[in-house]
Amino acid sequence: MGGRCERFSYPLGTRRLAWENIRSRPFRSLCLMLAAAVVGCSLFGGSVLVIGLERGLRSVGERFGADLMVVPAGAARKAEAILLGGDPGYFHFDGGVADKIARMDGVERVSPQLFMTSLSADCCDALVQLVAFDPATDFVVQPWLARSLGSGLRDGEMVAGNNILVRPDRTVRLFGRRYPVAAKLARTSTGFDTSLFMSRATARQVVAAAQAEELDSPIDPVPEGAVSAVMVKVAEGHTPVYVAWRIRRDNPGVDVIVSQSVVSAISGSLRKFTGRVRDLSCAIWLAAALILAALFAGSANGRKKEFALLRVLGATKGRLAALVLCESALVCAAGGALGVALAALAVFPFNAYIGVKLQLPMLTPAPEAVAALVVASFAATAALGPLAAGFAAVKAGASDPCLTLREGE
Amino acid sequence: MATPAPLVEVKGLSKEYAPGVAAVAGVDLALGAGEFACVTGRSGSGKSTLLNMVAGVLRPTSGAVLLDGLDLFGVSDREASLVRNAKIGYVSQGANLLGGLSVLDNVRLPFFLAAAGRSGDAAAKAAALLEQVGLGRFARTRTRPGEISGGEARRVAIARALVNDPSLVLADEPTGDLDPENAAAVMELFRQIAHQGVAVLLATHDPAAAALADRALRMEQGRLTECATRE
């Protein structure tokens, strides 16, 4: 006899009983699980968004590199669009401004940059931003290029932003000529992702190639010695805002972008957004806790006879409470796993799109941060079950055993 | 030679659901191991209330229930629950099986409601009990309670009451909704259980069923009287 019933002889412990209860009420269990899935989804999705945006903001701060960016008057918005939005553009003014600014009190270093664009035509792989820097004075691009490359950039070589499509032979084609790509940068979620970086010497080769092709290129009219921006590092003991004010005062025809202001403007928007996400996640968690508490309490009410029977059969109050808590934890754990998976499917493939839609820089959090968020979101959702079922557990323990015995009276 | 102490002692047991309205009034009863006693009486005479108090699930207004010398209402709820699980098998008016579990799992359920740390799975025991009540075929299937008849469900409930080898089995109207053939089979089962040394206290309003017991007790307006004892 014992041998024949072996295949059904698993222990009927608390977990098994809880699982059998979940299985025997599929609709109720599914509703509870979906409520928990909403929580898991909002916690994980919201956290990934917040951390991704914060990482994006840090990236903007790091990549900006200079305290001030001096551009031609009226070009400040365009410059910000190039840097943050990735909208290719160009403008220039007399490079002599750089020397004048370098001599000003409160200025530690200056380095000019030239912005150009390729063409959206057969001659070029794509319309992208070209950024030429001066290797002798540069303190903005080269430090992070050195981190990526491990060495300096040779003449004729370029470094591609993360979104630039590089040919299989590691070249890009500009104005009919191919240039070797020394490295591709990690994603920054800024305009750098759609930029090609090169020295001024390489930029001259690009201009010459464009002129040789007799193309109606936007870089044609760049006069010798012209620059698009002068990056400024402010000396210690001076405030960037004050130095910017003095540059504007002494150099009519220029505009000054203070990087702190740019970052803090983004940071302000980000704070508002992340605040909203956090509030929403808390509200969803709380609302779900209340809904689940009501559902569990209602369910406990409907199961009075079952609990009463278990009490008659000798289950202690603690055992019944453990059964209810275990059921709620299993349901919420399953819901949490589902919610986290759904959020991952929604957020990771579309994080760039989300960043564009929010008009904020967005980067995928580091793998270890993602792993920590998965664990934390799952745990917070699974914990929601026993928390919400606390009242139901007490109610189950307090079931009147006579309820089941009175049947038929 | 000293008389052995009875297994169950009910002393001056009373229950008032409302002040002055006694459902059970000063009942005394002693039941020894292997005794098969049957309480008859009309509906509302207090039979179920008496059984619930003897089972330790309904607190009396006054009096005591001693099982193996232990006062069921003088110990903690946890201790009383564990004693109930280990020593009392209860067959209630309805079969009261859990619909989410198989018939076999329903039978072995009380085994797992005991204090933690119990080894084994009671599957062989439950299967043997199902065999004993004539339902051995359910030990080998995943049949759910919803798929069996009322008479079969009642016999499953009896098997469940026996899975922890109780010393006392209480049954409230176990033949209430059964046809005469099934009722006779169930009563015969209780006789067999009593012959195995288990004290059986049964409440019924069916005189034919009560006639099969060793001791016939009658409950009227909350008072218990002894009617007959079979030698």
Side-chain angles (χ1 to χ4, degrees):
Chain A
M1 174 63 64
R4 276 188 295 172
C5 60
E6 224 164 57
R7 67 195 176 103
F8 303 126
S9 60
Y10 44 78
L12 264 183
T14 303
R15 262 196 310 253
R16 182 82 207 183
L17 278 174
W19 169 241
E20 292 292 347
N21 271 320
I22 289 167
R23 242 174 40 144
S24 66
R25 295 171 175 85
F27 181 71
R28 180 191 69 112
S29 304
L30 185 71
C31 289
L32 291 169
M33 201 177 84
L34 288 178
V38 171
V39 177
C41 188
S42 71
L43 286 180
F44 183 69
S47 308
V48 168
L49 274 183
V50 167
I51 291 178
L53 290 169
E54 283 171 351
R55 195 166 177 231
L57 179 66
R58 270 200 305 278
S59 150
V60 170
E62 283 166 13
R63 293 292 188 263
F64 210 93
D67 297 317
L68 305 173
M69 184 177 179
V70 182
V71 295
R77 284 196 146 198
K78 209 168 181 181
E80 282 183 17
I82 292 170
L83 289 171
L84 303 174
D87 304 330
Y90 60 93
F91 44 81
H92 48 77
F93 60 165
D94 180 17
V97 175
D99 297 331
K100 201 174 162 192
I101 294 170
R103 287 193 295 272
M104 287 178 68
D105 190 30
V107 173
E108 189 183 314
R109 295 176 77 172
V110 296
S111 181
Q113 284 188 354
L114 181 64
F115 299 156
M116 305 175 291
T117 67
S118 60
L119 286 179
S120 180
D122 290 347
C123 65
C124 304
D125 283 341
L127 170 64
V128 293
Q129 182 68 49
L130 308 177
V131 179
F133 58 90
D134 177 11
T137 59
D138 177 68
F139 59 93
V140 176
V141 182
Q142 288 186 121
W144 45 268
L145 282 189
R147 278 205 296 275
S148 306
L149 275 175
S151 64
L153 199 58
R154 285 192 288 266
D155 275 354
E157 276 184 342
M158 294 186 181
V159 169
N162 193 263
N163 292 350
I164 301 283
L165 277 173
V166 178
R167 287 165 180 261
D169 61 353
R170 296 187 65 78
T171 61
V172 284
R173 187 160 168 269
L174 295 172
F175 307 108
R177 272 191 62 184
R178 289 192 181 192
Y179 297 88
V181 173
K184 200 166 178 180
L185 298 172
R187 216 169 98 74
T188 64
S189 198
T190 67
F192 293 110
D193 290 340
T194 50
S195 300
L196 278 167
F197 298 90
M198 64 201 80
S199 66
R200 281 190 74 100
T202 307
R204 274 194 289 274
Q205 293 173 29
V206 174
V207 172
Q211 285 165 345
E213 292 283 315
E214 295 184 338
L215 291 163
D216 183 20
S217 162
I219 61 174
D220 279 351
V222 178
E224 186 60 34
V227 298
S228 301
V230 178
M231 313 305 276
V232 179
K233 186 170 174 60
V234 172
E236 226 173 283
H238 293 80
T239 59
V241 174
Y242 178 66
V243 175
W245 175 78
R246 286 189 52 217
I247 292 172
R248 275 192 212 102
R249 188 195 62 187
D250 299 344
N251 299 278
V254 304
D255 221 337
V256 185
I257 300 167
V258 182
S259 69
Q260 268 175 356
S261 309
V262 174
V263 173
S264 56
I266 300 171
S267 174
S269 312
L270 183 62
R271 252 199 310 278
K272 271 188 214 159
F273 178 77
T274 55
R276 266 186 234 134
V277 170
R278 281 195 186 112
D279 290 350
L280 191 66
S281 296
C282 287
I284 288 174
W285 195 91
L286 201 66
L290 293 173
I291 290 168
L292 285 173
L295 287 173
F296 283 128
S299 163
N301 223 24
R303 293 169 63 190
K304 267 182 184 171
K305 272 197 69 182
E306 177 191 331
F307 295 139
L309 171 69
L310 293 172
R311 289 281 286 140
V312 170
L313 296 179
T316 59
K317 289 179 178 178
R319 188 69 191 273
L320 287 192
L323 183 65
V324 170
L325 295 178
C326 184
E327 259 184 67
S328 61
L330 283 175
V331 165
C332 286
L338 177 71
V340 168
L342 288 177
L345 283 175
V347 172
F348 292 127
F350 302 109
N351 68 339
Y353 177 75
I354 293 168
V356 170
K357 277 284 165 199
L358 295 173
Q359 294 186 308
L360 289 167
M362 162 103 183
L363 283 177
T364 307
E368 56 271 23
V370 172
L373 287 178
V374 166
V375 172
S377 306
F378 175 76
T381 312
L384 182 66
L387 279 175
F391 177 67
V394 172
K395 229 175 153 180
S399 296
D400 173 15
C402 292
L403 193 75
T404 189
L405 307 178
R406 277 191 214 119
E407 189 184 61
E409 270 192 342
Chain B
M1 202 168 95
T3 315
L7 178 78
V8 185
E9 274 186 282
V10 173
K11 291 179 177 175
L13 206 61
S14 296
K15 180 67 185 179
E16 290 182 6
Y17 286 114
V21 185
V24 172
V27 166
D28 292 300
L29 174 69
L31 202 61
E35 264 195 292
F36 181 14
C38 192
V39 184
T40 54
R42 280 192 295 224
S43 292
S45 60
K47 304 186 298 290
S48 296
T49 300
L50 174 66
L51 251 65
N52 292 349
M53 288 192 288
V54 175
V57 295
L58 180 65
R59 186 166 283 278
T61 309
S62 62
V65 176
L66 276 70
L67 180 64
D68 265 344
L70 179 83
D71 182 356
L72 290 182
F73 297 102
V75 294
S76 69
D77 183 81
R78 180 183 156 75
E79 206 176 331
S81 298
L82 296 178
V83 167
R84 190 160 59 244
N85 176 262
K87 294 190 172 180
I88 301 175
Y90 201 111
V91 183
S92 56
Q93 284 186 21
N96 284 311
L97 303 178
L98 292 185
L101 299 180
S102 69
V103 166
L104 182 80
D105 285 348
N106 264 286
V107 173
R108 62 199 192 111
L109 178 62
F111 178 85
F112 294 98
L113 295 177
R118 209 165 178 183
S119 61
D121 58 25
K125 178 74 183 290
L129 285 168
L130 281 173
E131 198 76 54
Q132 191 184 336
V133 298
L135 301 172
R137 63 187 183 280
F138 295 135
R140 298 177 291 277
T141 62
R142 298 288 298 159
T143 310
R144 305 267 159 176
E147 300 163 33
I148 62 177
S149 71
E152 287 172 333
R154 189 59 54 86
R155 281 186 279 162
V156 172
I158 293 169
R160 180 179 64 192
L162 299 174
V163 77
N164 279 344
D165 293 322
S167 45
L168 170 67
V169 168
L170 301 168
D172 193 2
E173 301 286 4
T175 58
D177 51 0
L178 299 182
D179 57 67
E181 197 183 333
N182 266 313
V186 164
M187 288 307 290
E188 182 49 35
L189 262 174
F190 282 115
R191 278 192 65 80
Q192 287 172 18
I193 293 164
H195 284 159
Q196 287 163 15
V198 178
V200 177
L201 180 60
L202 193 145
T204 181
H205 62 267
D206 178 6
L212 296 168
D214 298 332
R215 279 173 73 186
L217 305 160
R218 181 146 186 88
M219 195 90 184
E220 253 176 299
Q221 293 181 327
R223 298 194 177 275
L224 189 71
T225 51
E226 187 107 23
C227 299
T229 305
R230 195 200 303 253
E231 290 304 323

